[in-house]
Amino acid sequence: TMAVPSVDLEPELIERARALTGEPSNRAVIDLALRRLIASKQKGAMIDGIAGLTGLDSGLGAPVVAPSESDSG
């Protein structure tokens, strides 16, 4: 089995997070927070990876528009 870490958290912070999320327990709040942090960081890495791709026009059979070009409309 995995060891359960013991952490010292600000009670006000946990209570505020529980109120905002509706999670029933401190563990559920921490689990949700960690999952969202990981998803956020992974999403940023995926966006950076996609932004670095080149030669998409030929592979997609459609024009690729840079974000700065599509934001003007």
Side-chain angles (χ1 to χ4, degrees):
T1 63
M2 189 167 47
V4 177
S6 176
V7 294
D8 186 25
L9 302 168
E10 293 182 36
E12 299 83 18
L13 194 60
I14 289 288
E15 287 306 314
R16 186 172 175 199
R18 283 180 67 182
L20 289 171
T21 63
E23 293 294 335
S25 67
N26 293 351
R27 187 193 185 295
V29 168
I30 294 167
D31 186 73
L32 177 64
L34 290 173
R35 290 177 187 279
R36 288 189 177 177
L37 172 68
I38 291 165
S40 173
K41 296 297 182 179
Q42 286 178 335
K43 184 170 116 180
M46 286 190 294
I47 290 170
D48 290 344
I50 292 168
L53 295 175
T54 58
L56 290 177
D57 333 32
S58 60
L60 295 175
V64 175
V65 179
S68 59
E69 295 175 32
S70 63
D71 289 341
S72 61

